[in-house]
Amino acid sequence: MNIDLLVHGGDVLTMDDAGTVVHGGAVAVHEGEIVAVGPAEELCTRFTAEESVDAQGCLVLPGLINTHTHLAMTLLRGRADDVTLQGFLERVIKWEAELLTPKNVAAAVRLAVAESIRAGVTSALDMYWFHEAAEQAAREAGWRLHSGPTFMDVPDPADGIAYEDRLSWARRDLAARGTARPGHRPALFAHSAYTLSPGQLTDIAALAREFGALLHLHAAENATEVATVEVRHGKRPVELLDSLGILGPDVLLAHAVDLTGPEIAALARTGTSVAHCPVSNLKLGCGIAPVPRLLGAGVTVGLGTDGAVSSNTLDMLGAVRQAALVHKAGGDPTAVGAEQAVRMATIEGARALGLADQLGSLEAGKRADLIVLDLGAPHLRPLHDPWSTLAYAAHSADVRDTVVDGRLLMRDRGLRTLDEGAVLADLEILAPG
């Protein structure tokens, strides 16, 4: 059988339910879909590929999924360091109003996509202004972006659309999308319970459910946010969302750092997912999300980097490492294990997006988003356990090849769909160093 792409010879970490690892394995891809996973000897005989990638001496695994970010914040990288969340927001909202245009967002997203492809990140959930420009930039690069209209009731929104007009604008946006493309789903973004009223949150959630869209919100990022919402609305953020009937399997909360036991139970009861952003949470002094307790309650937890202002990089392997390490600070080295942390960046991230049937693992019938990680560097040898190597030793620079929808966006560390020099030159004009 003729196919488009065959990646063969490496150890394939499928991330399926059984955690199957195929030593000396291969992944066969045709028309953007995985058609077979198995021993390289068998698949190399069975298939004739238009393009072949020799992955001997490498790990082959699903592309990493960033479940919470603000991609165009690459434009502001390094401009709001060593401040609290509230100090960060005061600075960033002002700069956004001054700097953001569709052209600037597109340029900043191209930089973010280049960084992400190099880091083995094949898709991201992106909450930001001018999502149309972001989606176009990602589409041109062949990269998988999940985005949509964002709601934040501030006096001067960056895109100039007052809240009173945003629901009808968002409705038109969702209606225009029609049938979701493979590996995508529509999404709406409600910034938080401290920038939107209970009535606004309820209306946005209703609109999301009308179109079967994922609803993504910041919630309980730090104690100050929780206190602010409690003073304004008489309830803590997650408690408020639960009382409004907003929580559910179509909802993904970013951060969820400051949670009570009953709130964790509410997330589990409603099937609400969490995007854990350990690097951003530590850098802003927000605290450490109770991930072991969330996992123990059965809550789906994915990983995110947050924006490149609050985390400074879009390095998902860095988030994997931090997630595997920070929860051990309480004295339990098993709190979040290496394999669990890697799964949070792959299949659990896909589950949090409601796309686990299409993304997050290397199985026949799923979209062909995968990466090849080169094990040739000294810091990766010897290889006793692939999960340990990924969680505790690997770096984004070890990613050699990145495939999205069956298309090689990076081969042998060379970007194929972006002119990296032009991307950097565009950003230098907007934000000279």
Side-chain angles (χ1 to χ4, degrees):
M1 175 183 173
N2 294 325
I3 60 172
D4 298 328
L5 176 67
L6 184 65
V7 180
H8 60 91
D11 288 347
V12 179
L13 311 183
T14 66
M15 303 292 172
D16 65 6
D17 290 342
T20 304
V21 177
V22 184
H23 299 285
V27 182
V29 176
H30 190 58
E31 296 182 348
E33 182 179 297
I34 298 171
V35 294
V37 178
E41 184 177 345
E42 174 191 329
L43 268 60
C44 287
T45 301
R46 181 177 162 193
F47 295 104
T48 300
E50 183 175 324
E51 188 161 19
S52 181
V53 173
D54 186 347
Q56 290 189 64
C58 302
L59 295 177
V60 180
L61 61 148
L64 307 178
I65 298 172
N66 191 341
T67 57
H68 178 67
T69 190
H70 315 285
L71 291 175
M73 278 189 169
T74 52
L75 184 63
L76 301 172
R77 194 191 323 253
R79 289 194 63 177
D81 293 337
D82 306 324
V83 294
T84 65
L85 171 63
Q86 282 65 39
F88 165 87
L89 290 169
E90 287 173 9
R91 296 186 187 189
V92 167
I93 291 173
K94 174 179 177 292
W95 290 328
E96 287 173 336
E98 296 172 354
L99 293 171
L100 295 187
T101 64
K103 180 180 177 181
N104 291 357
V105 165
V109 167
R110 281 192 288 271
L111 181 71
V113 171
E115 179 182 351
S116 297
I117 292 171
R118 287 202 169 280
V121 181
T122 54
S123 66
L125 182 65
D126 181 42
M127 175 193 288
Y128 213 53
W129 309 107
F130 299 114
H131 70 279
E132 304 96 331
E135 290 173 342
Q136 180 65 25
R139 191 179 304 114
E140 289 171 356
W143 195 71
R144 194 181 304 283
L145 178 65
H146 313 280
S147 191
T150 292
F151 291 80
M152 183 178 182
D153 194 7
V154 292
D156 298 302
D159 59 11
I161 304 173
Y163 180 81
E164 292 72 21
D165 301 318
R166 296 188 83 80
L167 278 175
S168 57
W169 163 71
R171 180 182 296 279
R172 290 193 300 272
D173 183 276
L174 291 171
R177 292 172 184 266
T179 303
R181 291 175 291 145
H184 292 80
R185 71 175 298 187
L188 279 184
F189 300 82
H191 182 271
S192 63
Y194 61 91
T195 62
L196 293 161
S197 71
Q200 290 170 334
L201 290 167
T202 301
D203 289 344
I204 297 163
L207 180 61
R209 285 176 177 145
E210 179 183 339
F211 283 89
L214 177 72
L215 179 63
H216 187 42
L217 313 88
H218 297 92
E221 190 168 355
N222 73 356
T224 301
E225 177 210 320
V226 170
T228 299
V229 174
E230 198 164 18
V231 167
R232 289 182 186 174
H233 306 307
K235 291 182 171 63
R236 296 163 54 90
V238 172
E239 183 185 12
L240 175 66
L241 295 173
D242 190 28
S243 71
L244 295 173
I246 290 174
L247 298 182
D250 51 357
V251 174
L252 174 58
L253 302 183
H255 304 299
V257 171
D258 192 317
L259 297 177
T260 64
E263 288 170 334
I264 292 173
L267 297 179
R269 169 174 47 80
T270 57
T272 304
S273 299
V274 166
H276 178 36
C277 303
V279 176
S280 173
N281 294 158
L282 288 173
K283 184 166 173 282
L284 290 171
C286 293
I288 301 171
V291 169
R293 292 170 62 199
L294 288 166
L295 295 174
V299 176
T300 296
V301 179
L303 282 181
T305 62
D306 212 345
V309 188
S310 59
S311 66
N312 294 63
T313 77
L314 303 174
D315 178 6
M316 280 291 291
L317 282 174
V320 168
R321 180 177 298 105
Q322 197 62 258
L325 290 174
V326 71
H327 301 287
K328 304 182 195 312
D332 179 6
T334 68
V336 175
E339 183 176 354
Q340 178 66 61
V342 176
R343 293 185 72 86
M344 286 162 61
T346 53
I347 186 60
E348 295 306 315
R351 204 179 314 280
L353 298 180
L355 290 168
D357 61 331
Q358 300 180 60
L359 303 175
S361 64
L362 302 182
E363 301 179 80
K366 290 197 173 186
R367 305 311 297 171
D369 291 7
L370 61 90
I371 61 176
V372 178
L373 190 135
D374 188 353
L375 295 171
H379 64 277
L380 299 175
R381 293 301 181 95
L383 178 68
H384 293 302
D385 178 84
W387 312 109
S388 171
T389 295
L390 284 169
Y392 301 125
H395 299 289
S396 59
D398 298 315
V399 177
R400 192 192 74 183
D401 309 298
T402 300
V403 176
V404 175
D405 246 359
R407 183 182 182 188
L408 273 157
L409 305 190
M410 180 171 73
R411 182 159 192 183
D412 294 328
R413 296 186 172 86
L415 299 186
R416 286 184 159 192
T417 60
L418 283 166
D419 180 339
E420 203 163 19
V423 168
L424 294 172
D426 285 347
L427 257 291
E428 186 62 26
I429 294 170
L430 295 175

